[in-house]
């Protein structure tokens, strides 16, 4: 549920304007407008039911089966199974039907259970009680029965059941406070306003008597009073309460439902999370196609054999044989074992079980949070080993998001909280004003300890307390900083802000206006009344141009110095307003607020008029400390060949300073700037081309020298949107996108500052779609990172301070940024190595298994005669050879954990899917074919016209098959043993255990006449074979020969790579280790 | 009044307490076991020239002697093979092979003289060989009913449908059913021995022309002109387990005729299964010739054990050097599928029949290993010393 809601919040912000055009008229309380006003058109809206489940009880089986068989692998096996049912095939349908049935059933049960949980969640939401005002009375009903136009009463701490327009609130000023914690994780209280004309309503009777219509599309409410002209009032976002948010600090509100059920904005854009398909699976599909070709060739090789007199067809067979396609199908059945169902099962199991190692990892456990890493999807384990681009959020991810007030500077005098005692502050006029300004100019709320949670907290802290809440941690830090300097902001009561000054006197200021912060102005102001003062604080760039007096130079110098140190700076200024000026300002503001059209724009204009002629007071500096080992982690990621991008909403200087501190940029890094400042001077076109030239020149030089300068790019949001904007000016300017990508490709680090959440996702999408199709990873902690986390191949959430949204929407969640290192370099590396071996080994062992079968067709008249007994065919992948590879793929460590952590460059060895590329695949295929040829022809020449036993008796075709099969099982198991670098007792147990099991099974299988079978072809075959000396000798010989090439290859690779190492004059561990990991392959 | 900043919280408004005293710490902490932390003690072998080197030499040193031993043994085995299909005009069996007709009741016999240039000691094994005969064809391999052959009375009367189209004949169940049994190669001359009329031991099988099968007889041409038939035994040619467990007559009743009442013989047979031999221990389904035939061969060219010529005593070779005659009752048609028929005489050693391949393969692999060992030794000497010094301490 949360996912979809959240996603919709995102898409809401991302998509921006919703594009429905119908006029939506809501009749409040379902009352007709007075006659003559306008025509009453009853409209039908859906009820308030939310449906997130995929299946119903009735459509579960067909729909789920359909979903499952849409997977190409499942479909393939289904076809095989059907073919086996229909035509006369070499093997019984059970051999492929049983595993398929098992896989499908398990998956269906899992999905059914998940859907049942969704049903339950839906149900609890839809059934939840709601108070509706009907005929002046409050009636309790269920959430899903809500209709558009109903007037709803919501009490404190209740969640809004649908999208509502606030009519009135129990607060006098007609406001209510709302948190959207459950939507986006933001905990601050947001203020919403009631419609002015209805805010006076206090009781349900009054509200019930309201007679009004809402024209939602226009954003207007028409209120009909008795026999008067309707009053039209504008509606805006400040009146709209969204479903899912919670009412806080307000006793109750009355509101009218405007959107219900699946029409609420959250639900409208509901989309199921697209299945992230891993790169490995794609490779497997490619394999499938190759196999199909092989099948086809096998079929074409089959000539139309006649029937010799000793082997007639039945009439049925004769008729059926008219269709030549049956041969093709029969071969398909015979060879389909090459991609066994069990491979998919094993891969799924490996991923599922393997992901536990992440959650079990003690090193990724954070004592402070009390949480370890979480795995939300195990489909992507191996992609962790393939990451090429890391997109990271700054605040809360690289940094602690624990703002600390460092210093303030008033007219060039620096105050540092812990360095001074009370009374040392000069009582100059500007100082007084400065501290008051900081105490007044904010939107911080004081949370009184009254809720249960608060009490709990109070006990833990050991003191009854109130604390500050704000959507911006900076503001909290500032207000707290002020407290430490002796000025405590107490509360906002009845529009009076109370401050405890350093002389322990309470000062009260009447709050007249708040000019809210927005990211365009990048400042906020308050107007308070003691002598009509306007206080403004904001980014230096937005304050300085408006300053008329004050010690600008000193403050500016300090601000710049602080910014370079990575501190977040704000400037504070004030303006004295005369009575008339205040009246004028008031006039501007109210006019803008009441405007029906272009309200935003007019507000901005009004702010612009009011916020000027400032007197500069000073500046503040707040520090956001880097997370522990952030620099080390970034450095390791760099060494591992990953490109790290920092995407932040912060301003460039601060972000750049953080980047230097976190070693994203080093001193040697040449910084390329692509910022608004630069593009204002030159055209974007020129800047881009110039940067591109710089980068390319460098690359051509660095082709000669070994170590090159690395580049760091800084780009800001505005420029980025200009770059990404589709070019309308024709082809002449070329494609900025491509040039930009080209530049990025050559930069080891990129800093994107001033980014909107949507832009973060855009960037990820851009890189994802670039022509190399790199694997991207996004890591973040806040709700604003969710879009990029969802967009990237691998999304990692930090269980941070800004709520759990990022962690919930991510594929993996970790407590701290530093854990990313182990996640990628150790776990990612292992998973990739393991899954690569798993996939290729599976392929190899099935080539070994099936290729002799294929060769045998040349010697049995292409009659699809299986070489092996049915039991062997069925059990080969299920039990004889399955456990060793599964356990290998769970516990293999080709290099130790410590080495991987110490040498991040090892990660480069597996970059770009290097272990699953065609040459490697080809090697495995060749090895498989070679081994298969050895098995088959080895046995062939031994069997050729000779006796095996010392009593002169002959062996038959089943002994032949069993001989091949025995060599096969031993060879593929020993091949895995050769590949194993990490022999734990588990490996010993499963490898030797599997071989032993094979022998015991064979003895048993051939040991008795099985009463339930209609054939006894294997009776005593295995024992007879073992009683023959030459059979033993040939088994040993064939196993040796089959393993020989791989051993030689391994030894040679090691020799060559260590030779390589010694020929380079840098004797050090990295290359030596590289040699080691090469030989792993 | 004190205040502190708002701290980490969950989406449902719960405040997660940071710092000391946070309740659920211990339960969530992962266990510190070697397995969960991927720290299981492990043996980490690394295949280097140094470690593999001794293995190669050892393999070489073991394989080469084994190979030589096998090769010598194989060379000491005497084997004689003769093709009596009769494709050439000059071949004695040419006529027989040409005149085949399904309905002929007259047997065609041919005599092939041959010369053994060395004496065969110990037991000599006589095989018949067929080429281009796909006993391993899928339709053929499955065309049998193991329950019926195991003496199951129900299956006797109701053969499995796998036997189709050789399951029923004239609405009677065929015993033994299936294509394999139907096309049995070797027949039993024994019951006709009573009717031998000819001095040259030719078998005139007028009365009981047994089956489609060929019959092979071996005669030693004494230097003084007489033909001496070589005595051969027809038992011990099938697997013991097959004869005693897998194949069983429907009842142990000696009167097989009664047991098989209601069934019919395979279409191509001239005699029912209960008349394969006079010896009750070798009659019916447990007839060894039949059992041998029922073990389908792996490859289209195969041989099957026909008879054993037991050794007389340790002084005299079983088969003396000299001229021999092979008398064939030529019935089995192979021309239609371009098959070949052979007769093989072979002695057997501990490693079975003559098979130089195994010995050669061992010698080759042993040599290759040895050679590789030398190559690796060079590699090891060139780079190995430094490797050792920089070896990884895992």
């Amino acid at each position: 549920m949360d996912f979809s809601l959240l996603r919709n919040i995102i898409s809401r912000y991302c998509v921006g304007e919703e594009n429905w055009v119908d006029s939506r008229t809501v009749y409040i309380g379902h009352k007709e407008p007075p006659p003559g006003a306008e025509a009453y058109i009853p409209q039908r809206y859906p009820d308030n039911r939310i449906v997130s489940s995929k299946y119903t009880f009735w459509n579960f089986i067909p729909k789920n089966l359909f979903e499952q068989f849409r997977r190409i692998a499942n479909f393939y096996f289904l076809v095989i199974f059907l073919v086996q049912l229909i035509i006369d095939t070499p093997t019984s349908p059970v051999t492929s039907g049983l595993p398929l049935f098992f896989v499908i059933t398990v998956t269906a049960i899992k999905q059914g259970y998940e859907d049942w949980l969704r049903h339950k969640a839906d149900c609890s939401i839809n059934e939840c009680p709601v108070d509706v005002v009907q005929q002046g009375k409050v009636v309790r009903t269920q959430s899903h029965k809500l209709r558009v136009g109903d007037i709803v009463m919501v009490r404190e701490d209740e969640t809004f059941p649908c999208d509502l327009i606030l009519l009135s609130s129990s607060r006098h000023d007609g406001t209510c406070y709302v948190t959207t914690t459950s939507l986006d994780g933001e905990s601050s209280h947001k203020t919403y306003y009631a419609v002015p004309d209805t805010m006076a309503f206090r009781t349900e009777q009054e509200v019930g008597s309201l007679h009004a219509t809402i024209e939602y599309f226009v954003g207007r409410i028409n209120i009909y009073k008795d026999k008067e002209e309707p009053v039209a009032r504008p509606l805006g976002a400040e009146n709209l309460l969204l479903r899912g948010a919670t009412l806080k600090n307000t006793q109750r509100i009355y509101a009218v439902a405007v959107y219900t059920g699946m029409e609420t904005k959250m639900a409208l854009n509901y989309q199921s999370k697209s299945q992230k398909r891993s790169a490995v699976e794609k490779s497997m599909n490619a394999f499938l196609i190759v196999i199909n070709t092989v099948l086809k060739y096998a079929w074409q090789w089959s000539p139309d054999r006649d029937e010799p007199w000793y082997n007639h067809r039945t009439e049925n067979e004769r008729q059926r044989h008219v269709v030549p396609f049956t041969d093709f199908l029969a071969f398909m059945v015979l060879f389909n074992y090459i991609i066994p169902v069990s491979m998919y099962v094993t891969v799924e199991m490996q991923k599922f079980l393997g992901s536990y190692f992440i959650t079990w990892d003690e090193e990724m456990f954070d004592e402070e949070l009390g949480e370890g890493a979480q795995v939300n999807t195990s489909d992507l384990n191996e992609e962790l080993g393939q990451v090429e681009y890391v997109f990271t959020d700054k605040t809360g991810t690289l940094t602690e998001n624990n703002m600390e007030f460092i210093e303030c500077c008033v007219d060039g005098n620096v105050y540092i909280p812990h360095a001074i005692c009370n009374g040392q502050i000069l009582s100059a006029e500007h100082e007084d004003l400065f501290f008051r300004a900081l105490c007044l100019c904010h939107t911080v709320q004081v949370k009184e300890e009254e809720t249960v949670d608060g009490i709990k907290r109070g006990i833990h802290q050991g003191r009854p307390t109130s604390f500050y809440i704000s959507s911006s941690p900076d503001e909290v830090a500032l207000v707290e900083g002020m407290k430490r300097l002796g000025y405590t902001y107490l509360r906002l009561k009845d529009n009076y802000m109370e401050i405890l000054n350093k002389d322990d006197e309470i000062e009260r200021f009447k709050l007249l206006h708040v000019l809210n912060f927005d990211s365009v102005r990048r400042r906020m102001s308050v107007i308070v009344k003691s002598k009509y003062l306007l206080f403004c604080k904001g980014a230096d760039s937005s304050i300085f141009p408006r300053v008329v007096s004050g010690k600008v130079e000193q403050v500016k110098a300090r601000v710049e110095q602080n910014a370079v140190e990575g501190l977040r700076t704000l400037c504070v200024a004030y303006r004295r307003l005369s009575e008339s000026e205040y009246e004028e300002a008031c006039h501007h503001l109210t006019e803008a607020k009441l405007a029906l059209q272009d309200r935003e724009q007019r507000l901005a204009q009004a702010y612009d008029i009011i916020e000027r002629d400032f007197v500069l007071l000073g500046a503040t500096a707040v520090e956001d400390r880097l997370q522990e080992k952030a620099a080390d982690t970034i450095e390791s990621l760099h060494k591992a060949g990953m490109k790290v991008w920092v995407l932040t909403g912060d301003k460039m200087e601060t972000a750049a300073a953080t980047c230097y501190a976190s070693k994203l940029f080093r001193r040697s890094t040449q910084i390329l700037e692509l910022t608004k400042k630069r593009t204002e001077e030159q055209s974007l076109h020129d800047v881009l081309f110039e940067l591109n030239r710089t980068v390319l020149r460098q690359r051509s030089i660095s082709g000669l020298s070994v170590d090159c300068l690395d580049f760091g790019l800084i780009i800001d949001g505005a420029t980025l949107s200009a770059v990404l904007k589709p070019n309308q000016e024709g082809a002449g300017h070329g494609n900025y996108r491509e040039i930009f990508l080209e530049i990025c490709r050559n930069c080891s680090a990129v800093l994107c500052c001033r980014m909107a959440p949507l832009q973060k996702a855009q960037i990820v999408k851009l890189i994802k779609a670039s022509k190399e199709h790199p694997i991207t990873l996004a890591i973040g902690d806040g709700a604003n990172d969710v879009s990029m986390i969802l967009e990237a191949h691998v999304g990692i959430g930090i269980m941070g301070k800004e709520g759990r949204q990022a962690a919930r929407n991510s594929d993996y969640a970790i407590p701290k940024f530093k854990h990313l290192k182990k996640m990628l370099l150790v776990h990612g590396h292992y998973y990739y190595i393991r899954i690569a071996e798993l996939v290729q080994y599976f392929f190899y062992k099935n080539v070994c298994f099936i290729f002799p079968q294929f060769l045998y067709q040349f010697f049995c008249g292409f009659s699809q005669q299986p070489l092996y007994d049915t039991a062997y065919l069925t059990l080969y992948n299920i039990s004889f050879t399955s456990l060793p590879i599964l356990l290998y793929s769970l516990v293999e460590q080709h290099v130790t954990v410590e080495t991987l952590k110490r040498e991040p460059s090892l990660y480069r060895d597996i970059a770009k899917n290097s272990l699953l590329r065609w040459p490697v695949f080809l090697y495995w295929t060749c090895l498989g074919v070679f081994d298969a040829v050895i098995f088959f022809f080895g046995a062939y020449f031994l069997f050729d016209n000779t006796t095996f036993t010392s009593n002169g008796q002959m062996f038959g075709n089943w002994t032949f098959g069993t001989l091949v099969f025995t060599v096969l099982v031993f060879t593929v198991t020993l091949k895995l043993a050769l590949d194993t670098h990490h022999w734990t007792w588990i490996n010993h147990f499963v490898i030797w255990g599997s071989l032993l099991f094979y022998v015991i099974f064979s003895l048993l299988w051939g040991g008795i006449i099985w009463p339930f079978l209609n054939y006894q072809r294997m009776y005593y075959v295995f024992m007879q074979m073992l009683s023959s000396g030459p059979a033993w000798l040939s088994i040993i010989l064939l196993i040796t020969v089959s393993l020989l090439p791989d051993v030689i290859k391994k030894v040679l690779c090691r020799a060559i790579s260590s030779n390589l190492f010694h020929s380079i004059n840098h004797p050090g561990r990295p290359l030596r280790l590289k040699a080691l990991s090469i030989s792993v392959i | 009044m004190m205040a502190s900043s708002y701290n980490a919280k969950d989406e449902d408004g719960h405040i997660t307490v940071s710092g000391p005293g946070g309740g659920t710490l211990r339960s969530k902490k992962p266990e510190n076991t070697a397995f969960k932390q991927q720290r299981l003690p492990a043996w980490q072998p690394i295949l280097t020239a140094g470690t593999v080197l001794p293995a190669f030499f050892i393999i070489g040193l073991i394989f080469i002697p084994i190979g030589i031993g096998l090769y010598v043994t194989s060379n000491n085995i005497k084997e004689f093979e003769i093709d009596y299909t009769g494709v050439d005009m000059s071949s004695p069996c040419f006529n027989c092979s040409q005149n085949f007709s399904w309905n002929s009741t007259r047997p065609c016999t041919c005599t092939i003289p041959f010369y053994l240039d060395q004496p065969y000691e110990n037991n000599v094994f006589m095989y018949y060989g067929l080429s281009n005969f796909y006993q391993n064809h899928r339709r053929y391999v499955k065309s049998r009913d193991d329950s019926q052959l195991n003496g199951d009375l129900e299956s006797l009367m109701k053969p499995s449908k796998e036997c189709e189209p050789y399951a029923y004949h004239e609405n009677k169940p065929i015993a033994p059913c299936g294509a394999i049994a139907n096309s049995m190669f070797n027949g039993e001359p024994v019951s006709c021995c009573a009717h031998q009329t000819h001095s040259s031991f030719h078998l005139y099988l007028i009365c009981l022309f047994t089956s489609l099968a060929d019959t092979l007889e071996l005669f030693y041409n004494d230097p003084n002109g007489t033909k001496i038939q070589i005595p051969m035994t027809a038992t011990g040619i099938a697997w013991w387990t097959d004869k005693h467990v897998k194949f069983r007559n429907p009842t142990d009743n000696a009167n097989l005729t009664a047991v098989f009442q209601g069934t019919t013989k395979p279409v191509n047979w001239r005699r029912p299964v209960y008349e394969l031999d006079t010896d009750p221990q070798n009659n019916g389904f447990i007839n060894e010739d039949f059992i041998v035939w029922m073990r389908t061969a792996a490859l289209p060219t195969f041989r099957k054990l026909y008879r054993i010529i037991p050794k007389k005593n340790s002084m005299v070779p079983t088969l003396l050097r000299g001229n021999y005659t092979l008398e064939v009752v030529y019935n089995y048609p192979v021309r239609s599928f371009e098959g070949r028929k052979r007769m093989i005489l072979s002695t057997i050693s501990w490693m079975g029949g003559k098979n130089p391949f195994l010995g050669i393969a061992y010698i080759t692999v042993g040599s290759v290993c040895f050679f590789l060992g030398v190559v690796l030794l060079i590699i090891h000497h060139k780079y190995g010393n430094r490797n050792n010094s920089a070896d990884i301490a895992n």
Side-chain angles (χ1 to χ4, degrees), chain A residues 445-465:
Chain A
Q445 289 149 12
V446 180
K447 175 81 177 169
E448 301 287 346
E449 290 312 319
E450 43 200 20
T451 62
V452 177
D453 290 329
I455 287 164
K456 211 170 23 180
R457 185 185 176 80
I459 289 164
H460 282 305
Q461 299 280 322
R463 56 203 175 213
T465 166

Side-chain angles (χ1 to χ4, degrees), chain A residues 975-1029:
Chain A
K975 155 76 181 150
L976 188 69
L978 283 178
D979 284 351
T980 306
H981 291 80
H982 192 77
W983 283 87
T984 63
W985 65 266
I986 303 174
N987 296 82
H988 282 289
F989 181 74
V990 291
I991 287 184
W992 311 126
S994 285
L995 293 179
L996 194 67
F997 174 74
Y998 166 69
V999 174
I1000 290 172
F1001 174 85
S1002 299
L1003 290 174
L1004 207 70
W1005 185 239
I1008 27 174
I1009 299 272
W1010 290 94
F1012 55 87
L1013 290 177
N1014 58 357
Y1015 56 85
Q1016 308 294 342
R1017 57 174 82 131
M1018 292 307 287
Y1019 185 66
Y1020 251 71
V1021 162
F1022 193 70
M1023 271 81 104
Q1024 282 283 349
M1025 186 184 81
L1026 292 189
S1027 70
S1028 138

